[in-house]
Amino acid sequence: MNRRIQSALISVFYKDGLEPIVRKLNELGVTIYSTGGTQTFIEQLGIPCTAVEDITSYPSILGGRVKTLHPKVFGGILARRDFEDDQKHVAEYEIPLLDLVIVDLYPFEETVKNTTDEKTIIEKIDIGGVSLIRAAGKNYKDVCIVASRNQYSGLLELLQSQNGETTIENRRAFAAAAFAECAHYDVAIASYFNKDNSSSFQMSIGNEKSLRYGENPHQSAAFYGDIDALFEKLNGKELSYNNLVDIDAASQIIAEFSGPAFAIIKHTNVCGVAERNDVVSAWESALAGDPESAFGGVLITNQPITIAVAQKINELFFEILVAPSFNEDALALLKGKKNRILLLQKETFYPQREYKRILNGVLVQEADKTNYADWMEAGAQNATDAEKEDLVFANIVCKHLKSNAIALVKDKQLIGKGCGQTSRIDALRQALDKSKQFGFSLQGAVLASDAFFPFDDCAKMADEAGIKAIIQPGGSMRDNDTIQYCKDHGMALVLTQTRHFKH
């Protein structure tokens, strides 16, 4: 059933975009009710407006905490037009019917981001707004509810095209969006109070963005979140599902390094990474680690992109390049291919928690932000200073490979990796094969494993390849076999007590 808007209650925090709506309502002869700052805003436009206090005979009290919580306001929203008893009450208590409610919510999330002052935060917990939105949403058969400035353009278009009338489909769609606003708001407040002690999984992320498709072309997909808060897209096509997954992996590994570093990601695994004294050397060393897999990859660095490194990168076909800044001449060169995605990273990103859908529930865990909890030298001799630097680097890299994982590193350069294998010995074979494929000498290289060696076969295979230093968590019932092998064959062995499974 269509309903003509004859009256509207408007009370909003954000007033940008409101003016054309108010002017259109006035043009349509709609009676407008309002409160506080919104009332002042409307009146300054020269548009007549009735104060809610004139309906309720109560002023705004308790420092503005109570303004609209009154039967005459909620009665006008909740009264069912086709219920005789409701209409009798409306007439008896002189309740003005409200056909349109435009109400948003105090900026709770923004306040939490900008201050730690609890008093300020608590005052931004909206009471009246949520109540008005829920009431109008419940009575969507008669009332249209607009609960966010993001819906202003849609409302204005509706007012213009339908001459102030709303359909039941219009009102139901607005109600659905309004309840989503309330749900998101309540989750934000619950998260603030619960911190990490919640007994239920609650998460609400807005800003839905439809993607071309999901992991595969036959799968539909969407991204929820504010990607623009982290990156500015300087060039290229729209980000895909797989792009976003790889950018997430790339952002996490590059956050591990303080010196100039470059990393290359394929299917969330790092296939090349190096830390050097300058960005050009870092790129050359990262690419050399596996130039074959780098084709079509996601590239990321923690350094500005200069023309010198841009010229070298430009020789490779890649999907995405992420950097904290781009020199003008470098950007102009890299923009030469219109589909190539160039992202300026605004801030370092590393998650606090991780989530995964499992069966009919959700797994939640703290993010793996630790490199090692212990450093126990258990081999024939302690690792040299140079080996220690490489072992720390290798352990970081291994943490970002899918299990079972092995990383071979030399001079802070990944020269071989095995990942996603069903046995640790297979991961090592793969890593050794990769290093040989691209002509690396393993003399002086180190090995990192994401989990313990169940047998001494990995230590033996590494030794035979020329590797003389290993870092691994330890914890196997047969640790002594590996320890003894290393002692007998002059190998350094570091046990960290920190496993880095990644699935």
Side-chain angles (χ1 to χ4, degrees), residues 220-232:
S220 60
F223 174 76
Y224 295 84
D226 186 8
I227 193 73
D228 294 336
L230 296 176
F231 304 99
E232 178 184 351

Side-chain angles (χ1 to χ4, degrees), residues 11-30:
S11 181
V12 296
F13 186 89
Y14 296 106
K15 298 168 183 65
D16 43 313
L18 184 62
E19 180 179 344
I21 291 173
V22 173
R23 292 195 182 281
K24 185 62 181 178
L25 290 172
N26 183 58
E27 180 188 316
L28 292 168
V30 175

Side-chain angles (χ1 to χ4, degrees), residues 402-424:
K402 291 290 180 68
S403 300
N404 289 309
I406 295 288
L408 305 181
V409 165
K410 188 174 181 180
D411 299 326
K412 291 187 176 181
Q413 176 191 20
L414 180 64
I415 61 172
K417 49 87 179 56
C419 53
Q421 300 301 303
T422 53
S423 72
R424 195 150 306 282

Side-chain angles (χ1 to χ4, degrees), residues 246 265-266 292-299 316-320:
D246 281 342
I265 305 297
K266 284 291 287 289
E292 188 174 75
S293 297
F295 183 84
V298 172
L299 320 179
L316 176 75
F317 169 74
F318 62 90
E319 285 270 350
I320 301 168

Side-chain angles (χ1 to χ4, degrees), residues 146 474 480:
V146 176
N480 284 336

Side-chain angles (χ1 to χ4, degrees), residues 8-12 15 18-19 21-23 25-26 30-51 102:
L9 170 63
I10 307 176
S11 181
V12 296
K15 298 168 183 65
L18 184 62
E19 180 179 344
I21 291 173
V22 173
R23 292 195 182 281
L25 290 172
N26 183 58
V30 175
T31 301
I32 298 175
Y33 300 92
S34 191
T35 64
T38 308
Q39 179 186 345
T40 301
F41 173 82
I42 295 170
E43 290 173 342
Q44 287 175 345
L45 296 175
I47 294 172
C49 177
T50 301
I102 304 177

Side-chain angles (χ1 to χ4, degrees), residues 173-192:
F174 275 112
F179 282 120
E181 285 287 327
C182 289
H184 179 83
Y185 197 75
D186 286 341
V187 168
I189 295 169
S191 297
Y192 171 76

Side-chain angles (χ1 to χ4, degrees), residues 89-308:
H89 287 141
V90 165
E92 180 180 356
Y93 297 108
E94 300 180 337
I95 298 172
L97 293 175
L98 296 169
D99 306 311
L100 171 66
V101 176
I102 304 177
V103 174
D104 62 8
L105 300 171
Y106 289 158
F108 180 82
E109 287 179 284
E110 290 86 345
T111 304
V112 171
K113 288 177 183 176
N114 294 327
T115 184
T116 58
D117 180 61
E118 185 164 80
K119 181 180 178 182
T120 303
I121 291 170
I122 295 302
E123 286 307 311
K124 285 298 183 285
I125 297 176
D126 206 314
I127 304 300
V130 172
S131 301
L132 290 167
I133 291 169
R134 290 178 66 85
K138 178 175 181 176
N139 201 25
Y140 74 90
K141 290 186 177 180
D142 296 310
V143 179
C144 184
I145 172 63
V146 176
S148 167
R149 57 181 169 173
N150 296 329
Q151 297 160 3
Y152 284 178
S153 60
L155 173 64
L156 183 60
E157 182 180 344
L158 183 151
L159 293 172
Q160 292 169 337
S161 63
Q162 297 177 196
N163 200 33
E165 285 195 354
T166 62
T167 66
I168 186 68
E169 292 79 15
N170 296 150
R171 297 191 297 275
R172 186 181 178 90
F174 275 112
F179 282 120
E181 285 287 327
C182 289
H184 179 83
Y185 197 75
D186 286 341
V187 168
I189 295 169
S191 297
Y192 171 76
F193 279 95
N194 289 327
K195 305 299 181 187
D196 296 323
N197 299 317
S198 178
S199 60
S200 62
F201 178 79
Q202 296 178 333
M203 175 172 276
S204 177
I205 302 175
N207 300 319
E208 177 190 15
K209 180 177 177 58
S210 295
L211 302 175
R212 296 195 304 275
Y213 52 81
E215 208 160 3
N216 300 292
H218 62 276
Q219 296 172 269
S220 60
F223 174 76
Y224 295 84
D226 186 8
I227 193 73
D228 294 336
L230 296 176
F231 304 99
E232 178 184 351
K233 186 155 75 71
L234 305 177
N235 190 68
K237 58 187 178 182
E238 290 299 310
L239 293 170
S240 70
Y241 181 101
N242 291 330
N243 288 158
L244 289 165
V245 172
D246 281 342
I247 291 168
D248 178 69
S251 298
Q252 291 186 50
I253 189 168
I254 206 67
E256 302 271 15
F257 305 114
S258 56
F262 231 113
I264 305 168
I265 305 297
K266 284 291 287 289
H267 297 288
T268 75
N269 284 303
V270 56
C271 60
V273 60
E275 191 173 27
R276 290 290 183 265
N277 292 325
D278 62 88
V279 67
V280 173
S281 300
W283 163 249
E284 291 176 334
S285 296
L287 179 63
D290 189 346
E292 188 174 75
S293 297
F295 183 84
V298 172
L299 320 179
I300 190 165
T301 181
N302 56 8
Q303 299 295 301
I305 296 297
T306 63
I307 186 63

